[in-house]
Amino acid sequence: MTNGQAGGGTPHRTAPGGGRQAEDATGARRGIARTVLAVMRRDGGRLYGRAARVAGLVSLGGLLLTVVGFLAAWPEFTEMRLGAERARIDEDSYAPDGSRVTTLWLILLACLPFLILLLHLGCAAIQTASARATGEGRGRFRAVLGVYVLRGVCVWAPVVLGILVEEYFTTTTFREYTAIVPKWEYPHLFEVLRYGPPLLGTASALVLRLGWTLAPAVATAEGLGPRAAMRRSWSLVWGRPSAWFRTVALALALGGLTVGLYVLLHLAVRPLRSGTVHVILEWGPDNTYAAYVAGLLAPIAVALLLTGALALPPAHAALAILRQRLAPPRHDDGLTAAAPPG
């Protein structure tokens, strides 16, 4: 006899481990926060163990990427150091040339996609573990990673396009002498092109990111490929007003908690900055500019890794549970459903 038949009550579903459609003793479905707490009490040790291993691997990859970036930037650091020494001999002040600072920014931008890929690898690993903890782990790691990569490209594309349009029409970045729309000649059109495309690109990115918020959770729970998971997430979020409102509320709450945790951790590990500078100057090459950049990056990297390891397991569990609540009920997912009496 199934749960619904015992006592002749209203039929309800049960799930192995209590992760899916969690219900309290009275049969009422728990809120997302209570369900996440229940999942973390039951499987928090295993999830945080996975998060710690992932953070360690990501830190090793990030360290290797940082070393490659510093090797590429070392000629610029050397020229800055030599310029500072010449200025000191001449008893003059020194500021790095703007072209050298631009080169450092370009090297950082070149390393950024690889850093984002590392973060996506970590998020995909934690996402699959969190989905299994909530009772839904059909998806493959490769498909979940594909969702993160495809979603990242599609979300950032309108932002980058808006910036490029603004730069093309209002600056001399793509030409040698004057802008296509000079401010002194077309003041109103210049202002529209200066702020319009970036704002439009940012707004488009926010809409896309909201619609695809549940795509990784969909991929892990339903075993869909990247494009199918993104279409499914879009239909779940924008299918009815209550769905996108709940998604926005949960995303803002998780984002606020994550940012707050990062700020606290960054303040806590800020002493790493001076320590890193001292270690590099003591044991590494005598270049104050390289040591200064390393000192800036050290607390940021440590705070990001700790924030991800601490915040991602419950955050991914919350998104997986929200997908469960927004998705229509399934009858072939291993749940036991009671037939009506008689």
Side-chain angles (χ1 to χ4, degrees):
M1 185 181 301
T2 58
N3 293 337
Q5 290 170 323
T10 302
H12 63 278
R13 294 185 299 219
T14 61
R20 180 192 297 272
Q21 303 289 352
E23 299 179 0
D24 60 20
T26 62
R29 192 165 62 179
R30 295 175 179 173
I32 291 178
R34 291 181 61 192
T35 308
V36 170
L37 290 176
V39 170
M40 297 307 295
R41 280 197 299 267
R42 188 184 66 244
D43 294 316
R46 181 172 60 85
L47 290 178
Y48 278 120
R50 168 68 68 88
R53 292 191 296 272
V54 169
L57 293 175
V58 170
S59 64
L60 290 177
L63 181 61
L64 177 61
L65 183 62
T66 303
V67 170
V68 172
F70 268 74
L71 290 176
W74 201 256
E76 305 301 324
F77 288 134
T78 302
E79 290 299 324
M80 291 179 182
R81 177 66 171 173
L82 293 175
E85 291 178 352
R86 288 192 293 266
R88 188 180 301 111
I89 294 173
D90 297 336
E91 297 183 354
D92 194 6
S93 60
Y94 173 76
D97 185 75
S99 61
R100 302 199 183 282
V101 177
T102 301
T103 302
L104 295 179
W105 277 110
L106 291 176
I107 293 173
L108 176 62
L109 289 176
C111 294
L112 193 59
F114 299 98
L115 178 61
I116 293 175
L117 179 59
L118 281 174
L119 297 178
H120 285 171
L121 284 167
C123 287
I126 297 175
Q127 175 74 62
T128 53
S130 299
R132 293 190 184 99
T134 60
E136 297 192 356
R138 300 186 182 91
R140 296 176 298 174
F141 172 81
R142 185 172 59 182
V144 180
L145 177 61
V147 169
Y148 276 104
V149 173
L150 182 60
R151 184 179 68 176
V153 171
C154 294
V155 167
W156 281 102
V159 177
V160 174
L161 181 61
I163 294 174
L164 290 177
V165 169
E166 181 266 331
E167 291 286 313
Y168 181 80
F169 284 102
T170 63
T171 70
T172 57
T173 302
F174 298 97
R175 64 196 54 80
E176 188 172 355
Y177 296 110
T178 185
I180 291 181
V181 181
K183 185 175 182 178
W184 60 85
E185 194 170 345
Y186 307 99
H188 299 295
L189 181 59
F190 180 88
E191 293 299 324
V192 170
L193 290 172
R194 181 70 178 273
Y195 300 106
L199 289 176
L200 181 60
T202 302
S204 301
L206 290 176
V207 172
L208 293 175
R209 182 61 177 81
L210 176 62
W212 294 329
T213 297
L214 303 178
V218 168
T220 53
E222 302 183 20
L224 300 178
R227 289 186 294 179
M230 291 170 69
R231 289 195 298 268
R232 172 72 165 156
S233 173
W234 189 272
S235 65
L236 289 177
V237 173
W238 296 113
R240 55 186 187 273
S242 61
W244 70 260
F245 180 80
R246 295 176 68 183
T247 305
V248 169
L250 182 61
L252 289 178
L254 294 177
L257 291 174
T258 303
V259 171
L261 179 60
Y262 170 79
V263 172
L264 292 176
L265 290 173
H266 187 269
L267 293 175
V269 300
R270 184 175 290 179
L272 284 176
R273 179 175 177 177
S274 58
T276 302
V277 172
H278 176 74
V279 168
I280 291 180
L281 292 178
E282 185 72 22
W283 301 99
D286 185 19
N287 192 309
T288 55
Y289 292 96
Y292 173 77
V293 173
L296 285 178
L297 294 177
I300 295 175
V302 172
L304 281 176
L305 288 171
L306 291 177
T307 301
L310 294 174
L312 286 181
H316 285 321
L319 292 174
I321 294 167
L322 178 63
R323 189 217 64 85
Q324 293 174 2
R325 303 292 170 86
L326 297 182
R330 297 170 60 94
H331 300 288
D332 57 348
D333 54 2
L335 300 178
T336 59

